[in-house]
Amino acid sequence: MKDREVKKPVKNKKEAKRELNERQKAGLTIIFVAVIFLIIAFFGAHIWISTINFGISNNNTSISGGGFNAEITDNDKNMSAEEIFENIYYNALDKLSQTIAHGNTWLEICPNSQVEIDGEIYMKICSDKYNSIADIEDELESVATKSYIENLIGKDYIDKDGALYIRPISIDKDERYIEMSSYLVKTKKSDEIIYSVKSKYGDLGCSDSCDYSYKEHKFSIVKENGVWLVSEFEMPY
């Protein structure tokens, strides 16, 4: 007996067209449902991640990460610790080190102006910009607190007869200082940040097999009237 070839029944054009339309509608429905599912999954994951606290909360302020990547969220304003540090540290180092690390070399001394005041030797400043302690305070108040400036000035500056006098300061500056290497946020409050700053030391002219050393220094800032100011600064020099 010969095998018979089984053929599919031939459909007319109307039936074929109707079946094609039904398949197209079914395909579109599947695609639509899949898109809706992906959208719901995406937003669900976003909401779940946003509820996770990756940092430390303190007085409505959180710190995420550490070192240069630490981020500070203060109320509704987002600020990075790096941005605060970068904006303050180098400017403060430049201005405050003039008196702490460089002694009186940043001020022009009048020749033959040495006098004795209250048993101490002082020299007169010859400067159009700095004629009084108030001028020094005005120069530093943009980077440091009033109490810090007062302690900095101490008895090293004095007003006398309408002029500014400074006591000779001898400071051994560490000439091996190269740069600020890194920092860490040690403490964060709503109005205070304490950093630990690591400084790099070595031969400035070295380019190969250099023997570098590192030291850590404390750098603290406080917020006064909405402005971050230096409250403590251990110089790296």
Side-chain angles (χ1 to χ4, degrees):
M1 180 181 295
K2 295 182 179 181
D3 294 334
R4 289 192 306 169
E5 181 180 359
V6 179
K7 296 182 179 180
K8 292 183 179 181
V10 178
K11 299 179 181 179
N12 58 42
K13 291 183 178 181
K14 289 184 179 181
E15 290 177 343
K17 186 175 182 180
R18 184 173 62 254
E19 184 178 72
L20 178 61
N21 289 335
E22 289 176 352
R23 289 181 179 178
Q24 289 177 341
K25 289 180 180 180
L28 291 175
T29 300
I30 293 173
I31 293 174
F32 178 78
V33 172
V35 170
I36 294 299
F37 177 81
L38 289 174
I39 292 175
I40 294 174
F42 173 81
F43 282 102
H46 178 74
I47 293 172
W48 177 73
I49 291 174
S50 65
T51 60
I52 300 177
N53 183 8
F54 292 100
I56 304 170
S57 294
N58 191 351
N59 296 333
N60 297 324
T61 304
S62 64
I63 302 175
S64 300
F68 286 100
N69 296 319
E71 290 188 357
I72 301 170
T73 304
D74 194 347
N75 297 327
D76 295 330
K77 297 181 179 179
N78 294 326
M79 300 177 294
S80 68
E82 178 181 11
E83 185 177 38
I84 296 174
F85 185 88
E86 296 284 345
N87 288 342
I88 295 178
Y89 184 80
Y90 296 104
N91 187 33
L93 181 63
D94 177 56
K95 286 192 174 184
L96 300 179
S97 67
Q98 294 178 120
T99 54
I100 298 176
H102 298 167
N104 56 25
T105 58
W106 67 296
L107 294 170
E108 183 180 353
I109 306 298
C110 298
N112 304 317
S113 63
Q114 182 172 309
V115 297
E116 183 176 336
I117 304 174
D118 298 331
E120 298 284 349
I121 299 299
Y122 287 85
M123 295 180 293
K124 185 179 180 180
I125 301 300
C126 286
S127 171
D128 294 333
K129 184 176 182 180
Y130 305 108
N131 297 303
S132 67
I133 291 178
D135 293 335
I136 302 296
E137 292 174 340
D138 291 342
E139 175 71 10
L140 303 180
E141 67 179 3
S142 63
V143 296
T145 63
K146 184 177 180 179
S147 60
Y148 181 93
I149 296 172
E150 289 177 349
N151 291 331
L152 182 65
I153 291 175
K155 294 182 178 181
D156 293 332
Y157 299 83
I158 192 170
D159 291 328
K160 181 176 175 60
D161 300 329
L164 176 64
Y165 285 78
I166 186 172
R167 186 167 57 178
I169 304 171
S170 177
I171 296 178
D172 294 327
K173 180 179 178 181
D174 192 338
E175 300 294 342
R176 287 174 56 83
Y177 173 77
I178 297 177
E179 63 182 355
M180 186 278 295
S181 177
S182 63
Y183 77 86
L184 290 174
V185 178
K186 303 296 289 185
T187 301
K188 174 63 180 73
K189 298 179 182 179
S190 60
D191 58 353
E192 180 184 32
I193 306 177
I194 299 176
Y195 299 92
S196 177
V197 181
K198 181 181 289 186
S199 298
K200 183 178 181 180
Y201 300 84
D203 185 356
L204 296 177
C206 181
S207 59
D208 185 35
S209 300
C210 304
D211 183 18
Y212 295 124
S213 60
Y214 297 86
K215 297 179 183 178
E216 292 189 3
H217 306 91
K218 186 177 181 180
F219 178 64
S220 303
I221 58 176
V222 296
K223 183 182 285 187
E224 293 185 354
N225 299 320
V227 179
W228 288 102
L229 299 171
V230 175
S231 60
E232 185 175 354
F233 199 165
E234 294 179 357
M235 284 288 144
Y237 303 130

